[in-house]
Amino acid sequence: MIPDKVPNENVFHGSMDLKKEAHIPSFEKYKEMYVNSIENPDAFWGAVAKDFFWKTKPTGQFLDYNFDVTKGEIFIKCMEGASTNISYNLLDRNVYEKKLGDKIAFFWEGNEPGDELTVTYRELLKKVCQFANVLKSQGVKKGDRVSIYMPMVVELVVAMLACVRIGAVHSIVFAGFSAGSLCERILDSQCSLLITADGFYRGDKLINLKVIADEALQKCRDKGFPIQRCIMLKHVSSKPVEIVGAHSPPAKRSCPDLQEKQTGKVKKTRPLLQQVPWNPEVDLCWHTLMHGASDECEPEWCESEDPLFILYTSGSTGRPKGVLHTVSGYMLYCAATFKMVFDHQSDDVYWCTADIGWITGHSYITYGPLANGATSVLFEGLPTYPDVSRLWEIVDKYHVTKFYTAPTAIRLLMKFGVEPVQKYKRESLKILGTVGEPINPEAWQWYYNVVGEKRCPIVDTFWQTETGGHVLTPLPAATPMKPGSATFPFFGVIPAILNESGEELEGPSEGYLVFKQPWPGLMRTVYGNHQRFETTYFKKFPGYYVTGDGCRRDEDGYYWITGRIDDMLNVSGHLLSTAEVESALVEHKAVAEAAVVGRPHPVKGESLYCFVTLTNGVTYNQNLEAELKKQVREKIGAIATLDYIQNAPGLPKTRSGKIMRRLLRKIASNEKDLGDISTLADSTVVEQLFQERCSTAM
Ligand code: WT7
């Protein structure tokens, strides 16, 4: 399955220096380990598990599972009988056993250059214990769900690991999501507590996060789910902030810390946070609670298959799915992929630019790096603020050795040319990584030639929220790279390519990407809806986990992801379901029907092109366009920005009434070759849509 030999020509290698110290120094070694991981998983993963602390040892085989819906319920179990605590392994073990107490866990770099902090492993352990005690004092118990809605600050890591310490289940919601999206996620996972911040800056823009969080909590109340507690971290408040509380006198209703003078470097030109709404019946101040909390907290020992966290990802039926990961398998998989894919060495400074609100941040900012005792950069800001050199300035400032980002960021920076990159030396860089969508060869070349100066291998890591960690990826010192290919499977992962009838294709071929057996990090269920888990991932092809991606295998055995084959869009490396956007559109009274497709976009990968059929009597105009745009942003969040809206008197449908999205995609990108249209009910609709298509974005 893995070829014996990989080509020597038309491939890239990166620096030979890496091989000297690499964990996996050659393709032969990779292949040998791969075969071992498949034939002898107990021995392979047992060796990984040895590095961690187990309160009790596993009793059965390493993995137990059923992948075939026709044989009964789908289940995946890893290391049954074992118990552990991840925060203990990420923190106490590193501090006390590995003597890394004084090692820096995070260099925090704020949105504003000059705003910086360092946190050692010992300090992180203390803060996590303190906050774990805070959570306990607020009545949070093992198994309870806690929602976290915070910017990229160290306290976000503290909050998540404090949950882990007491066996509570975190559900992090990316701080760019709207009040409606936050409310939906709180309700779905029935969270008993919300942790948020006053606000944060994205470049020049102030986001009043607490205002949005409050709106979400109000929505929850309106739907009969009153959340009793909300802990707010003061992060950006300007000088004395006015605290607006409805019911009590000023002395009682304040969060004391908010009254402090701002000592940071808030630029005068930026808008300042003037008001923080405060509801004394619900709101609690992070700093006040921490002040009195003990910094010792015995970890709660958890079973291997106890829930660890829920993270929502878009689903093709509109409602997001709560992807559930569990304790032992996820920890081992994050730890092993981080170590081998980034070839982690103890003196590395690693930086992943993702937000912790996405799976990349969960696995490769928090869990993977800390499990390896790594030093990371935690960055709050944007690649373009205050200017487009920011990333490279930070690389030089902290001597970053391993750098992980998304194709959309690379394409964005490419537009500004090489000069902003070359202003900085980047000599420390050894390995570059990408994730989120297929990287186009042009962006790959630029990343390789300009950023890495032909010295750094690029690990193009294919994976999903569901897979927990990398599943197809090069290993930096072992795998010859082809620009745009995620190359070969990670250990324990068996990919296959199926045709429409579910037959496995051999050799060079193209079709559905599936996996034939689980690995430790695969999701276990959709929270509260196991049936949806089975239907989404296991029903189409019994016996396989279906990724939803198309894939091609070339003559050398390399895997190339060709993109989603379901109704999912990938905008800037984040999945959005067409159904989710459509349902936000049809909620507007002027819209009778809506269909959304992706149109290729040079930076974002895909942009949102919407066809709307209006209700009788409504005329289309710019006001309506602005309203629709606003409505979708408010319903879903800033990632759902509509780029094109076309007034469509009719939509192309099959005779049975199904919208033919394939044709809408062609119209959106002005491709006249329509292929087979024999099922189309009325072809005049298509001609009209072509004539009236939008050629420029709004
Ligand atoms: C989807 C998963 C995994 C973290 C970020 C996104 C696409 C992801 C690659 C890659 C080609 C990729 C796939 C996948 N994708 N990485 N290296 N090459 N496509 O997580 O939101 O769960 O999205 O992102 O389409 O299914 P996600």
Side-chain angles (χ1 to χ4, degrees), residues 311-322:
L311 181 59
Y312 286 85
T313 187
S314 291
S316 50
T317 57
R319 278 190 47 200
K321 305 180 287 264

Side-chain angles (χ1 to χ4, degrees), residues 359-360 435-438 460-465 549 561 564 575:
I359 191 69
T360 308
V435 59
E437 58 179 308
D460 177 354
T461 60
F462 167 83
W463 59 297
Q464 308 175 300
T465 304
D549 284 293
I561 305 296
R564 300 294 304 184
L575 291 188

Side-chain angles (χ1 to χ4, degrees), residues 274-570:
Q274 306 289 1
Q275 289 191 336
V276 177
W278 194 258
N279 177 351
E281 267 136 47
V282 176
D283 293 337
L284 297 156
C285 168
W286 172 292
H287 299 275
T288 312
L289 294 169
M290 284 291 266
H291 197 65
S294 154
D295 60 13
E296 280 177 27
C297 177
E298 180 65 18
E300 183 77 37
W301 301 108
C302 297
E303 303 292 318
S304 283
E305 287 303 330
D306 278 346
L308 172 65
F309 67 79
I310 300 165
L311 181 59
Y312 286 85
T313 187
S314 291
S316 50
T317 57
R319 278 190 47 200
K321 305 180 287 264
V323 170
L324 184 91
H325 286 285
T326 55
V327 173
S328 299
Y330 177 81
M331 174 175 77
L332 293 186
Y333 202 68
C334 281
T337 47
F338 177 79
K339 177 175 170 183
M340 300 186 217
V341 174
F342 298 111
D343 191 43
H344 179 66
Q345 305 292 338
S346 61
D347 56 354
D348 272 337
V349 177
Y350 161 85
W351 181 18
C352 164
T353 66
D355 192 290
I356 292 180
W358 307 108
I359 191 69
T360 308
H362 280 60
S363 300
Y364 300 113
I365 295 180
T366 301
Y367 290 103
L370 294 178
N372 282 277
T375 295
S376 306
V377 176
L378 180 64
F379 178 45
E380 186 193 22
L382 298 175
T384 48
Y385 179 84
D387 60 51
V388 295
S389 284
R390 185 76 189 274
L391 299 184
W392 321 121
E393 181 199 334
I394 296 174
V395 164
D396 278 6
K397 175 173 174 185
Y398 298 107
H399 307 286
V400 171
T401 52
K402 315 278 164 83
F403 178 76
Y404 193 28
T405 195
T408 184
I410 299 164
R411 289 192 300 261
L412 173 71
L413 296 176
M414 258 172 88
K415 290 202 304 187
F416 300 96
V418 300
E419 191 264 341
V421 188
Q422 290 173 347
K423 248 169 77 184
Y424 293 91
K425 292 204 185 94
R426 292 158 286 110
E427 285 168 330
S428 52
L429 288 174
K430 290 182 180 165
I431 293 170
L432 303 173
T434 83
V435 59
E437 58 179 308
I439 181 165
N440 47 313
E442 194 195 354
W444 194 99
Q445 294 282 356
W446 192 82
Y447 200 24
Y448 185 77
N449 293 327
V450 180
V451 177
E453 300 190 338
K454 302 185 164 76
R455 180 180 77 237
C456 309
I458 295 177
V459 286
D460 177 354
T461 60
F462 167 83
W463 59 297
Q464 308 175 300
T465 304
E466 294 87 338
T467 69
H470 308 142
V471 281
L472 298 180
T473 176
L475 296 175
T479 317
M481 298 163 287
K482 295 192 185 187
S485 167
T487 73
F488 299 106
F490 190 74
F491 304 117
V493 174
I494 310 182
I497 296 179
L498 305 185
N499 64 14
E500 193 58 64
S501 348
E503 289 149 357
E504 275 187 40
L505 303 174
E506 303 293 329
S509 45
E510 186 166 342
Y512 292 87
L513 176 67
V514 299
F515 294 107
K516 295 172 75 161
Q517 62 175 47
W519 53 93
L522 182 61
M523 72 184 287
R524 301 302 199 254
T525 190
V526 169
Y527 185 78
N529 197 344
H530 196 67
Q531 204 188 339
R532 190 168 179 205
F533 173 59
E534 297 187 333
T535 318
T536 311
Y537 305 103
F538 296 94
K539 205 148 181 200
K540 189 172 173 73
F541 299 120
Y544 301 95
Y545 166 84
V546 181
T547 59
D549 284 293
C551 186
R552 179 170 72 83
R553 189 171 41 221
D554 71 13
E555 60 291 350
D556 297 318
Y558 280 65
Y559 290 85
W560 301 72
I561 305 296
T562 54
R564 300 294 304 184
I565 37 183
D566 48 19
D567 287 339
M568 221 72 96
L569 302 169
N570 193 324

